[in-house]
Amino acid sequence: MLTYLVRRVLIAIPVLLGITFITFALLHLTPGDPVRIMLATEQVTPEVAERLTEFYSLDKPWYVQYGRYLGNLLRGDLGVSITSRADIAASIANRLPNTILLAVSSMILALLIALPVGIISATHRNSIADYVSLTASMIGVSMPSFWLGLLLLLQFGLAWKILPIWGVGRLSNGLWDFISHLILPSVTMGTGLAALLARLTRASVLEVLTQDYIRTARAKGLKERIVLYRHALRNAIIPVITAAGLQLGYLLGGAVIVESIFSWPGLGRLTIQAIQKRDLPVIQISTLVFAIAFVLVTLLVDVLYTFIDPRIRYD
Amino acid sequence: MKAQRLICLFAVALLSLALVGVAVTGQQVLKLAVGDLENVDPMDLGGRNPDVSVASLVCDNLVFLGKDDFLPKPELAVSWEAVDDYTWVFHLREGVMFQDGNAVFPEGQAREVTADDVVYSIGRAKEVAVYLVLSEIESATALDRYTVEIKTAQPAPFLLDVHHLASVMIIPHEAVEILGDDLKISPIGSGPFEIQEFVPGERAVLTRNEDYWLTPNLDEVQFIVIPDPAAAIIALEAGEVDIVTYGPADEGPRLLDLGFSVSGRGGSYRGVGFNVTTPPFDDYRVRRAISLALDVDSIWKAVIPEDFGERAYGQVPPWVPMGYDSEGLMDLDGYDQAAALDLFAQAGWSDSDGDGWLDKDGEKLSFEMKCFGGAQVRVFTIIATVLQQLGIDATVLQQDVGVWVDDLLAGNTGMFFDFSYAGTTGLYSMFHGSLITQSNTHFYDNPTVNALLDEANMTVNYAARSTLWKAAQRLIVKDQAIIPLYFEVVTTYVAPYVKDFVSEWGTLELVSSENNVYIDK
């Protein structure tokens, strides 16, 4: 297992290097740089623009810029934002925990809803419960998060005033402050995810329930509960975990809309603002962080397989 | 029974009085929703308005810009004079103390702000503040404890303007030496509020500086990051915040009905721009004809609510303290579609084959109008419709902002949406011939205009400079390098119980010689 993990980490290095190069190349092929945008809209004078261009080496050839970027990266210097001049390492460090918190809480919420709903739906196929869950899943998948977010904000924040509508709660202000701030953004993000995973769970459980080993288990006189949870679910859950892992990877990339609506200071908002302002150093580092998150989540999912299905071995 | 009633009445009255007392003596806390908070190092604020607002409450500047006339008013400097065209002398307020109870100055151990601090701050700003224009300052010298002399390399009429010396915040050198990078989150100055907490991307909490030379009414100011404008408006209506500093204009009429007020200072210039070297716009008659074809009054009012903008007749907006000249430019405006067609015909463009489109030498009059999004798409859609009705094949091309900028600066445009933040020196940046391919996207090069702008840039006398500026602007509009449409004002929504609030311009002034914000709930 350890050898496998080391191999995976080593494989990740060229992948991440490739990502830095592709990001850099794409950004430099995209027209316009932040200084030119500020210049053309008269936010800065030509004198200031010239100084900024020189300061950020924007006038240097791309390979010089890329070389400097990689060199700084290897030294652990993530650089400073062009527009805010804030330390990028500090910005990422401030926002990453918030992004992880929101992603994980949304995923937990989604799984808490999706697994029971999917299982009930599969075990009670073509019943009212199944139809209700299918309809709810369809609505959940189709509902845009910006619409649901604003709706929740209006109802729970403006009309009923029972939940906070912006920011991150703090444990120092009590557990309720911490949880209450998390509820609306997690529900907004988790709803669509829950719907998706519920449908996947239903399909997967249905498929497993038709397998021979399930029929054998039933023929041996095992209780239906044991058949379902010990034999069917352990096999049915693997595609759900794969999908949940991929979705978690996306969530760790930050949810721009939810983060904006609920003023959640996460990585998604940082990145989208950087893209809008062509803040190249921030875009490069955020992309790298997303890539690392994806690599780690995929690795985690692979390791999880071995716990769920003992037949899977990587040695 | 009667006695019991009287006792009850008395008790109720006492309770009411107590409640009123609590309300009156309650904490005066102002909450502002802002788009983001990133870095509040007073020298490193760039054009980030929320960061500038926070830092400007913590630090004093030499001057602030007046709420009505936008002219410099005394803050840390009680007076100043231009001794000659190259020398300015500032006299500082005595007895102003830096904030204490922080990592730099322990409680009760603050020191007075002196001329040396001003000299130090200017020096550091020249070194660090890449967004400020301070190259005009040749030297800053402390003549005595409260007098600073500033020498400029050439006459510097914009010295006390936004992005110039007026934007330099005065800080103690100890703050830089002791705090290092922490200056980005916990600046120290001599302003009316002290920073208690700054979490980038989340919030900033400031409390009253009890030793400030004026007495702030507010006990606490909170800046809360709510990036989504719709969510910010919901927070305002829910009473979670008192001010939204960047509200969408579309919400204005509804919020006004609900009793909120609108406070706006500064904004942006919006118009039609021409690259005057690109055919067919290299022909003055074509540019003039397009101008005559457009009913600008109807167009801009169709795009933004009337209370949130103002018709533009030139590029210089009303919040720039020189050169604004609506009345002087009105005679250049006109709406006459028959005259427009006549001018097109004089330029050789007419419907010679009767297909409904103007043409010349067998070529249809056809062009793209480039813009990058938002209200400008609506403006250009209206204009394209009007021009098509006249037989001109005008189409709207919405571009990514980076592509739009590259096209503009490379001269790969003919007619484009002209958009600028309309700062004081905008006229120079946008139309001086020496800045073609840099910031002059009109490729406009008129020697008379260049000379007028050059002279204005060297003229310290305000009235004389304003005259020169207006003359240059008149020539630019007359040459029809632009069709001014409107000035869009930055919209700040304010709860009805917030009194004496003045929107930011350069700095945010909650406590000044002109205002002192308070809550009257």
Side-chain angles (χ1 to χ4, degrees), chain A residues 121 128-142 195 199:
Chain A
S121 195
I128 290 178
D130 187 23
Y131 293 137
V132 168
S133 90
L134 277 175
T135 312
S137 298
M138 204 163 64
I139 293 170
V141 170
S142 325
R199 297 199 70 156

Side-chain angles (χ1 to χ4, degrees), chain B residues 352-407:
Chain B
S352 61
D353 53 9
D355 65 353
W357 298 105
L358 303 189
D359 57 79
K360 181 174 155 181
D361 303 330
E363 289 269 329
K364 190 161 74 168
L365 181 52
S366 177
F367 52 81
E368 286 171 334
M369 307 189 298
K370 293 182 176 177
C371 57
F372 64 81
Q376 34 184 283
V377 179
R378 284 185 270 166
V379 172
F380 264 13
T381 304
I382 296 170
I383 291 176
T385 309
V386 171
L387 293 179
Q388 284 185 2
Q389 283 167 352
L390 285 180
I392 299 153
D393 182 24
T395 49
V396 180
L397 180 63
Q398 185 179 352
Q399 299 176 297
D400 165 77
V401 65
V403 180
W404 178 79
V405 163
D406 267 17
D407 274 356

Side-chain angles (χ1 to χ4, degrees), chain A residues 26-273:
Chain A
L26 285 175
L27 285 173
H28 281 75
L29 286 172
T30 312
D33 68 45
V35 177
R36 281 165 76 84
I37 291 173
M38 286 189 273
L39 184 63
T41 51
E42 205 233 314
Q43 293 176 71
V44 295
T45 62
E47 180 192 339
V48 171
E50 199 177 321
R51 216 159 56 226
L52 286 171
T53 303
E54 198 184 322
F55 187 85
Y56 290 106
S57 305
L58 296 171
D59 51 346
K60 300 280 184 300
W62 70 268
Y63 48 86
V64 174
Q65 292 186 48
Y66 182 63
R68 278 187 189 174
Y69 162 58
L70 266 192
N72 290 338
L73 204 60
L74 290 174
R75 281 196 299 275
D77 177 6
L78 304 190
V80 293
S81 151
I82 290 183
T83 52
S84 76
R85 309 255 291 137
D87 187 43
I88 297 175
S91 299
I92 300 277
N94 278 336
R95 288 166 170 85
L96 190 59
N98 296 330
T99 295
I100 293 174
L101 176 66
L102 184 58
V104 171
S105 63
S106 304
M107 182 53 75
I108 290 172
L109 182 75
L111 288 173
L112 283 176
I113 298 169
L115 291 179
V117 168
I119 293 166
I120 291 169
S121 195
T123 52
H124 297 76
R125 196 180 176 189
N126 296 332
S127 68
I128 290 178
D130 187 23
Y131 293 137
V132 168
S133 90
L134 277 175
T135 312
S137 298
M138 204 163 64
I139 293 170
V141 170
S142 325
M143 214 158 24
S145 59
F146 72 87
W147 181 80
L148 178 64
L150 282 175
L151 210 69
L152 293 173
L153 212 64
L154 282 168
Q155 197 55 49
F156 290 89
L158 185 60
W160 294 341
K161 294 189 180 175
I162 53 173
L163 285 173
I165 57 178
W166 56 267
V168 183
R170 295 167 179 199
L171 278 172
S172 56
N173 294 341
L175 189 61
W176 173 241
D177 183 69
F178 181 75
I179 293 174
S180 62
H181 279 86
L182 205 51
I183 294 174
L184 293 183
S186 299
V187 169
T188 307
M189 260 171 83
T191 303
L193 204 58
L196 185 82
L197 294 177
R199 297 199 70 156
L200 195 66
T201 307
R202 178 183 180 272
S204 187
V205 171
L206 274 178
E207 192 191 330
V208 168
L209 285 176
T210 59
Q211 299 293 314
D212 289 343
Y213 62 86
I214 296 293
R215 201 173 301 120
T216 309
R218 280 179 178 147
K220 281 165 72 180
L222 288 178
K223 287 180 182 170
E224 190 59 25
R225 192 165 52 85
I226 293 175
V227 171
L228 183 66
Y229 291 106
R230 191 171 296 170
H231 295 275
L233 202 56
R234 288 187 84 162
N235 290 291
I237 203 88
I238 287 184
V240 179
I241 285 179
T242 310
L246 279 174
Q247 290 298 325
L248 186 65
Y250 287 122
L251 294 183
L252 287 173
V256 177
I257 293 169
V258 174
E259 285 180 8
S260 291
I261 290 175
F262 294 102
S263 313
W264 192 269
L267 276 182
R269 221 175 77 200
L270 181 77
T271 310
I272 202 72
Q273 283 168 347

Side-chain angles (χ1 to χ4, degrees), chain B residues 81-104:
Chain B
E81 66 261 357
V83 178
D84 55 49
D85 278 357
Y86 299 86
T87 313
W88 298 67
V89 173
F90 292 85
H91 304 282
L92 304 188
R93 194 177 300 280
E94 295 181 20
V96 176
M97 305 294 285
F98 283 117
Q99 294 150 0
D100 60 6
N102 49 55
V104 177

